[in-house]
Every structure is written in C-alpha cells, then in structure tokens.
C-alpha cells in the first residue's frame, strides 16, 4: 500500500510530456506477445508480462520456455483456507518472476466455479466469493511485496471456457455485486492490485473490453483503481469503443485495433488526447512500481530461497484434503514389505492443468519417486497403470528417439517445398510435447524423421499432435494416413488444446526409423502450426490390465491407488461434458478395493468428479494438481 503513495506523480507528468503522440500510442499495444515497447524519451524500459497462476513461465510458450517453478493449483491453495499461506505462495512466485526479469505476473484468476464442469476450475480458487476474495487478497499482496505486479483476471463473468470469446453473461445487478464482483473488489480495494485483465466475454450485452460501465464507472471511479486495465490476449476488437471504455493496454502486439488508427482518432478528435494520456500515465505508474523507469530504484527484494522445493512441497501438503481415513494413514514403513502403487495417475502423474497457465519445471517428482523415498529400500513397490483413460499419449521421451542426422536425442524436422525439395532442416527435442512452427509461403510439407528405440515387441502407439494431413511411414508396413483439421479461426484452440491422432503399428523390439509427413492446414488466418509426437509402449487389453492391477493389489500389504484427471481433461478453451472420471477408473477402484481393502485412493484432479465408490477404500485423499513436488 505504501508503494501506491510513493509514486511521484509529478515525475510521471514530466515523462508523459516528453513523449510524442505516436510514442504514447505505441506504448498502448504490446511490442510483441509478452512485452511492451520501450520509450527512450520517457526513460521507460520494456515491461515483461508472463503467465501465470501456477508460477511464472517467462516470455515464451511451448518447447522453448525456460525452466520454471511449478506450484500447486489454485484450487489446492484455496483448500488450505489460509490467507497467510496464499501470501507466501504469491511472494515466492513474485521472487521467481523477478529472477526471470518479469514485471507483471498474469495471476490470480478469481473467476468462480459457477458450474462444476468448468474447464479452468483448477486455475480458479473456489465456488465461494468470500473464500476466493480472501485467498486472492493474500496472494496479490504477496506477489506485489516483491515489486512484481499481480494481474487480477478475468474481469468479469468469465466463468465458462466454451465459447468464451463470444458468450454474453447475463447477470442481474444484485448477483453481480454479491457473487461475481467481491473477489475483484477485495483484490483492488484491499490488496491494491496494480493490473486488472478485461475478459473475452460480454456482460449484459457489452463485451468486457468495451464495457465502460464496469471498467470505468465501477472499477476506476467507484473502486478507485489507479492501475492498468489490460485486455486478455486478442480480446480487444474495436478502436473507439474499447479506447473510450477504460481499456488501457491491448495485448498481444504489435498488431491490434489501436496503433495508427488510434493516432488518427486522436488527431480527428473522436478520442480525446486526455484519454490516451490517462492510459499512458497508468502504464508509467506501473513501470515505476515495478522498477522499469530509469532514475527510480527497483523495489528491494530477496533471491528465490534455496529450499524452494521444500516450500512448494509444503504448499501441496497444506492444500491436500483427507476425505476419509479408517486408520490406514499414515503408513508405517517399518511394518510394510510389499506396496502396490496402482492407477493411471500413478504412472502418468498430473502435476498441473492445461492451457496458458502451463509451466515446465526442471523436474517433477513422480509418485513412485516420492513413495520410494518415503518408504525406504526395504519395501518392494509394484507399479501398475490398471486403466488408460487419457485422451492423448504422453510426449515421446528424448531417450527413445535419435536424430538420424546428428545422432543426438530427438528428431530431425525438415521443411520441404511443393516439389519435395528440402528448404531447410533442424534438430528438435520432442519431449517438450510440441513446438510452434511459422509457415512460410514456400513450405508445403513438414517431415519428422527419427530412429525410435522399441523396448518390447507388440502393438506400439505413436501420435501426432497438431492439424493437417498426416502420413506415418514405418519399415515393412503400408503408410497410414489421417487428416485432422481445426474448425474456426481461434488460434488459442490450436495452441492451448491441440488435437491429436494416434497411429497403431506392430513391431518387434529394436530400433526402427520413423518418418511422419505433415501437410499443414493452410486455410487459417494465421501462418502458425505446431507439431508434437506422443508414444506409448504395447499393453494388454482393458480386462488384462484391470486383472493385473487387482492381482498386484491382492499380493500387497497396502495399496496406493492414484486416479483422477489430466491437463487434457482440465484445460483452457473448453469445458468438460461430464463429472464422471474418464475411462474405466471407477471400475478400477471397485476391483482394487475388492482385492485389498487396505487401499488408499488418491484423487489427482483440479476440479470436482463423482466418486460413487467413496465408501470403499480405507482412506481417500484429494491431492488436486499438486505441482512439481506432488509425488
């Protein structure tokens, strides 16, 4: 709060007066996807923005993103019911953001769980406006104590992912005031957030980036917000309507509805120059608070603590909810000889949800790693998946693939023209799941070549992530083809929830050379595509795998059964269609509990699911998406 009063408004006026109209307007649209254009005349360095709610990712997205810290999901943080803990989580994220050169953290997400089917529940705190307000207040104060701006989003009524760009939230005034707005009001009035993000959707018939009643009348005038209103990415769609409504910053850039058109609007008088000056002043004020103005010292802070992993682990523990325990927990390692670790989330752990909040840490502690560390070497641990509910295969591991050109772990990506000639090629690491590709006009086909090591014989599964016409070439087999096209022109649908197709082919153990040819989808308004490879080893039938899991359970002293969700089921841009756990997970719980009543079920999910078997296990623990230390 003291930093709000410490900004020298007279100094901001001097800097504002030193800028030309062109410089002012240039500042009001991002210089690129994640940064603002520096203005030398004002002594303004480039401001950097970063997702997100489970830790700062940095200013890149996809396979090239730097190593980050992956915190537990916001639903986990809210489940601790502890405002001081939320402050600590925000402070630690702020310290990491400062270390990464980030001025603005695009968090917290304070939209409410208005429907249990919301795809982005894991990223929001709760269904309760009071709980959400308290956790958000602590978090915002924690982030901004490090000199990094918190961004309260998505203002307002953005509580559904399906058709989020176009739907109209029709909310009566009382419900708006008493339910939807309290978290935003607390974050602005009490925590004094420095940035608020305007949502994609409309409220009461007016899209939020043009909603003067809420952006100016409520947020800026009634609540006294003196920070920056930034658009959600690609949410700003108009010139005068959004400029006059109270929107201050259009993201991403450098393209957008303002730019030269806003300069002309000011010169013609349809947008007053005072409106532009107010927006620029707000950005300069943000820069002063975050240390991006020359002559103003950056706010003092400390380094990321050396025991950060232990602190993240403590956050995950504090957020976990023990729903049932008939005395099985805590386990006594000295009394155990054999433990069965069973379930799809035991072998393919879900530390986080999907979408723009995704970060890539240096390492994620798996359940098997954590259990072995806790139980000691004398305990035998048997691991079985039981069922395979995932919509997509896991990313192919770099240790299984070799670039046929340089011999390094990974794949060779070739860019080819319409006549088949090679334009260029490069080495890629596919274990980052996918990599973005800019499609030049001369590129007609993409080819992925690699030598794949098969550790066993049987029916192998290889998936291709992205859109276009795919052809898989495997030695000794006829080529397999598939076409996967995106409907609509929302680039977020491709980047945040890309489609995937799985090819199945029989092969013996050994090394084979794989070629995947892709003719990218070109009828989209953006020259971008992405590619990723997934892979899974041969497996038995559903009944065989269920029986193997039940057999392992019967032979164990105790069973840890991990079920739940993943980053494809819970993700940005799409809501769920059911509260039932995917695949045969309910059946797996019944079979395992019948085989061994000493079973502890751990639900690894960020949002609600039905548990018709809740009375069957001896213990039931809800772990949420617990972050990098979850195992």
């Amino acid at each position: 709060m003291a930093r709000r009063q410490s900004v020298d408004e007279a100094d901001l006026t001097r800097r504002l007066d030193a800028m030309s109209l062109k410089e002012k307007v240039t500042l009001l649209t991002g210089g690129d996807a994640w940064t603002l254009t520096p203005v030398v005349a004002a002594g303004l360095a480039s401001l950097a923005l970063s997702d997100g709610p489970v830790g700062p990712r940095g200013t890149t997205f996809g396979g090239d993103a730097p190593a980050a810290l992956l915190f537990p999901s916001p639903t986990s943080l809210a489940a601790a019911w502890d405002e001081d803990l939320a402050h600590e989580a925000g402070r630690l994220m702020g310290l990491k953001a400062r270390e990464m050169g980030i001025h603005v953290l695009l968090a917290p997400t304070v939209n409410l769980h208005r429907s249990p089917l919301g795809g982005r529940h894991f990223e929001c705190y709760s269904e309760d406006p009071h709980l959400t307000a308290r956790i958000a207040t602590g978090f915002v104060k924690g982030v901004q104590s490090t000199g990094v701006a918190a961004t309260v989003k998505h203002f307002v009524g953005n509580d559904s992912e399906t058709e989020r760009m176009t739907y109209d939230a029709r909310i009566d005034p009382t419900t708006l005031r008493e339910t939807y707005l309290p978290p935003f009001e607390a974050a602005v009035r009490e925590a004094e957030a420095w940035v608020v993000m305007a949502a994609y959707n409309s409220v009461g018939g007016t899209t939020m980036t043009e909603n003067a009643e809420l952006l100016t009348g409520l947020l800026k005038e009634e609540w006294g917000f003196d920070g920056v209103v930034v658009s959600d990415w690609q949410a700003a769609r108009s010139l005068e309507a959004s400029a006059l409504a109270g929107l201050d910053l259009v993201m991403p850039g450098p393209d957008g509805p303002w730019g030269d058109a806003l300069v002309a609007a000011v010169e013609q008088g349809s947008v007053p120059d005072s409106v532009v000056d107010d927006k620029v002043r707000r950005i300069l004020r943000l820069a002063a608070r975050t240390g991006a103005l020359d002559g103003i010292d950056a706010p003092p802070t400390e380094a990321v603590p050396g025991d950060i992993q232990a602190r993240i682990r403590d956050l995950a523990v504090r957020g976990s909810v023990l729903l049932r325990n008939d005395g099985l927990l805590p386990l006594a390692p000295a009394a155990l000889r054999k433990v069965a670790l069973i379930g799809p989330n035991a072998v393919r752990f879900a530390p986080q949800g999907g979408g723009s909040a995704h970060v890539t840490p240096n390492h994620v502690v798996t359940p098997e790693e954590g259990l072995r560390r806790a139980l000691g070497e004398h305990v035998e641990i048997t691991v079985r998946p039981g069922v395979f509910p995932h919509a997509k295969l896991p990313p192919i591991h770099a240790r299984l693939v070799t670039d046929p050109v340089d011999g390094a772990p990974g794949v060779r990506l070739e860019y080819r023209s319409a006549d088949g000639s090679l334009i260029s090629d490069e080495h890629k690491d596919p274990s980052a799941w996918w990599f973005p590709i800019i499609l030049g006009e001369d590129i007609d086909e993409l080819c992925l070549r690699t030598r794949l090591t098969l550790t066993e014989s049987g029916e192998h599964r290889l998936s291709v992530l992205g859109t276009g016409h795919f052809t898989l070439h495997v030695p000794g087999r006829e080529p397999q083809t598939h076409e996967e096209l995106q409907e609509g022109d929302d680039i977020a649908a491709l980047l945040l929830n890309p489609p995937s197709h799985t090819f199945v082919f029989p092969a013996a153990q050994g090394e084979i050379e794989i070629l995947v040819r892709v003719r990218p989808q070109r009828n989209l308004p953006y020259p971008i595509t992405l590619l990723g490879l997934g892979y899974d080893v041969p497996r038995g039938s559903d009944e065989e795998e269920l029986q193997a899991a039940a057999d392992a359970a019967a032979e164990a002293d105790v069973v840890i059964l991990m079920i739940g969700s993943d980053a494809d089921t819970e993700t940005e841009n799409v809501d769920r269609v059911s509260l039932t756990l995917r695949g045969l997970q309910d059946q797996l719980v019944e079979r395992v509990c019948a085989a061994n009543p000493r079973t502890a079920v751990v639900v690894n999910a960020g949002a609600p699911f039905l548990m018709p078997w809740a009375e069957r296990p001896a213990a039931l623990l809800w772990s949420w998406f617990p972050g990098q230390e979850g195992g």
Side-chain angles (χ1 to χ4, degrees):
M1 288 184 282
R3 195 162 296 131
R4 171 176 287 188
Q5 284 98 35
S6 69
V7 173
D8 185 342
E9 294 293 335
D11 178 59
L12 299 187
T13 299
R14 289 191 294 271
R15 295 174 189 268
L16 183 62
D17 291 343
M19 298 171 66
S20 67
L21 175 60
K22 176 69 172 178
E23 287 173 322
K24 293 175 183 177
V25 170
T26 299
L27 182 60
L28 302 183
T29 297
D32 56 28
W34 302 106
T35 64
L36 305 192
T37 302
V39 181
V40 175
L44 174 65
S46 177
L47 283 162
L49 300 81
S50 169
D51 290 312
V54 293
R57 182 180 59 248
T59 55
T60 56
F61 193 81
D64 297 326
L69 293 174
L70 173 55
F71 288 75
S73 65
T75 45
S76 174
L77 187 60
W81 291 76
D82 189 329
E83 190 171 335
D84 291 337
L85 193 71
H87 185 285
E88 175 65 1
R91 188 183 72 88
L92 293 173
M93 288 192 200
L95 294 178
K96 181 61 177 178
R98 284 287 297 271
E99 179 183 271
M100 299 171 77
I102 300 301
H103 301 90
V104 179
L105 183 68
L106 301 176
T109 306
V110 302
N111 300 112
L112 299 176
H113 299 175
R114 294 297 279 165
S115 160
L117 295 170
R120 214 167 174 177
H121 272 355
F122 67 92
E123 192 180 319
C124 311
Y125 291 126
S126 79
E127 71 277 18
D128 181 78
H130 178 69
L131 174 60
T132 298
R134 299 324 312 155
I135 300 301
T137 297
F139 182 86
V140 169
K141 288 180 177 179
V143 172
Q144 295 186 170
S145 71
T146 69
V148 172
T151 305
V152 188
K153 61 182 189 178
H154 308 84
F155 189 72
V156 60
N158 189 180
D159 306 285
S160 171
E161 286 301 295
T162 301
E163 299 182 11
R164 62 179 181 165
M165 293 279 195
T166 56
Y167 77 80
D168 181 23
R170 299 174 183 174
I171 310 168
D172 68 87
T174 299
T175 305
L176 184 66
R177 287 278 185 173
E178 295 181 355
T179 302
Y180 290 84
L181 289 174
F184 292 96
E185 184 174 10
V188 168
R189 285 185 148 176
E190 186 176 346
E192 298 186 348
W194 297 341
V195 182
V196 169
M197 181 183 290
Y200 290 121
N201 57 281
S202 297
V203 173
T206 304
T207 186
M208 277 308 305
T209 53
E210 301 173 7
N211 202 312
E213 179 181 357
L214 293 175
L215 293 183
T216 296
L218 179 77
L219 178 62
K220 292 184 174 181
E221 294 178 356
E222 181 180 332
W223 291 355
F225 177 66
D226 70 347
V228 173
V229 176
V230 61
S231 73
D232 203 342
W233 269 229
Q234 296 184 313
R237 309 177 184 97
S238 64
L239 171 59
E240 293 182 16
S242 60
L244 296 173
L247 186 67
D248 300 313
L249 175 61
V250 170
M251 291 297 290
D255 298 323
W258 288 2
D260 291 341
L262 182 55
V263 173
V266 173
E267 292 174 341
Q268 295 164 9
S270 57
V271 175
D273 54 8
S274 61
V275 169
V276 169
D277 284 352
D278 178 69
K279 300 179 192 303
V280 174
R281 177 180 291 274
R282 289 170 180 271
I283 293 176
L284 292 174
R285 188 180 294 128
L286 174 64
R289 288 167 169 164
T290 58
L293 285 181
D294 65 9
I296 298 178
D297 293 335
T301 190
E302 59 187 281
V304 175
D307 63 344
I308 185 64
Q309 284 82 10
R311 296 181 188 223
I312 292 176
R313 185 165 62 252
D314 182 62
L315 290 171
V317 170
R318 299 278 294 278
S320 297
V321 181
L322 187 62
L323 298 172
R324 176 181 172 85
N325 186 22
D326 288 347
L328 180 62
L329 301 181
L331 297 179
L336 298 176
R337 181 180 57 87
K338 295 183 68 174
V339 171
L341 178 60
I342 296 174
N345 291 58
V347 297
R348 193 171 161 190
F349 179 55
Q352 62 184 319
S356 62
H358 182 92
V359 301
T360 304
N362 274 328
H363 179 69
V364 172
V365 179
T366 67
E368 183 177 1
E369 286 177 305
L371 202 56
R372 289 191 183 281
R373 188 184 307 168
L375 298 182
E377 294 299 322
H378 73 282
V379 178
E380 177 186 344
I381 301 176
T382 301
V383 182
R384 299 294 311 184
V387 294
F388 301 86
H390 300 91
K392 297 173 184 175
L393 299 184
I396 195 166
H397 201 288
R399 62 180 168 78
L400 295 178
V401 285
T402 304
D403 186 326
V405 174
D406 61 18
V411 302
R412 176 62 43 171
L413 174 60
E414 300 175 347
Y415 302 85
R416 293 188 174 272
S417 62
D419 63 4
S421 60
L422 180 66
I423 300 172
S424 63
D425 65 338
E426 59 182 321
H427 175 85
K428 287 289 186 181
D429 177 4
S431 62
W433 197 198
W434 59 263
F435 32 89
I437 298 171
I438 305 298
L439 294 172
E441 293 184 0
D442 55 342
I443 297 174
D444 183 70
E445 185 178 62
L446 304 168
C447 294
L448 287 173
R449 297 181 183 273
T450 191
R451 290 195 294 269
L452 174 62
T453 299
L454 307 178
T455 58
E456 53 190 286
S457 301
E459 296 280 336
H460 297 264
R461 291 167 174 81
L462 185 82
S463 65
V464 183
L465 198 74
T467 64
H469 185 85
F470 311 139
T471 304
L472 172 66
H473 296 265
V474 177
R477 301 288 169 183
E478 288 294 317
Q480 298 184 52
T481 64
H482 177 77
E483 188 170 71
E484 187 76 47
L485 301 180
Q486 177 188 339
E487 297 182 4
D489 58 1
D490 181 7
I491 190 173
L494 175 65
L495 297 179
L496 301 179
N497 191 28
S500 172
H501 176 72
T502 298
F503 296 103
V504 179
F505 61 93
Q509 180 179 348
E511 186 180 81
I512 62 172
E513 186 147 332
I514 296 288
L515 166 63
V516 178
R517 300 174 60 186
V518 182
R519 293 190 180 277
Q521 183 177 357
R522 300 304 295 255
N523 63 335
L524 298 172
Y526 43 82
I528 299 174
T529 192
L530 58 84
L531 272 179
L533 290 180
Y535 173 73
D536 202 4
V537 297
R539 61 177 185 243
S541 66
D542 289 341
E543 177 55 34
E544 289 171 339
E545 294 291 347
L546 280 166
Q547 188 59 49
D551 291 344
E555 296 173 1
D557 301 321
V558 68
V559 178
I560 307 297
L561 175 55
M562 295 193 66
I563 58 173
S565 184
D566 57 39
D568 297 317
T569 303
E570 297 184 52
T571 187
E572 188 172 344
N573 202 55
V574 62
D575 293 317
R576 296 184 290 155
V577 297
S578 172
L579 293 181
T580 301
L581 288 165
R582 289 179 62 98
L584 300 176
Q585 293 188 81
D586 288 340
Q587 187 174 342
L588 175 66
V589 176
E590 296 283 359
R591 294 276 287 267
V592 169
C593 289
N596 190 333
R598 288 175 53 80
T599 294
V601 172
V602 180
V603 184
N604 173 203
F609 284 91
L610 296 173
M611 297 183 291
W613 38 259
E615 300 300 318
R616 294 297 304 275
L620 178 56
L621 179 72
W622 199 284
S623 76
W624 309 102
F625 291 144
Q628 68 183 61
E629 296 294 306

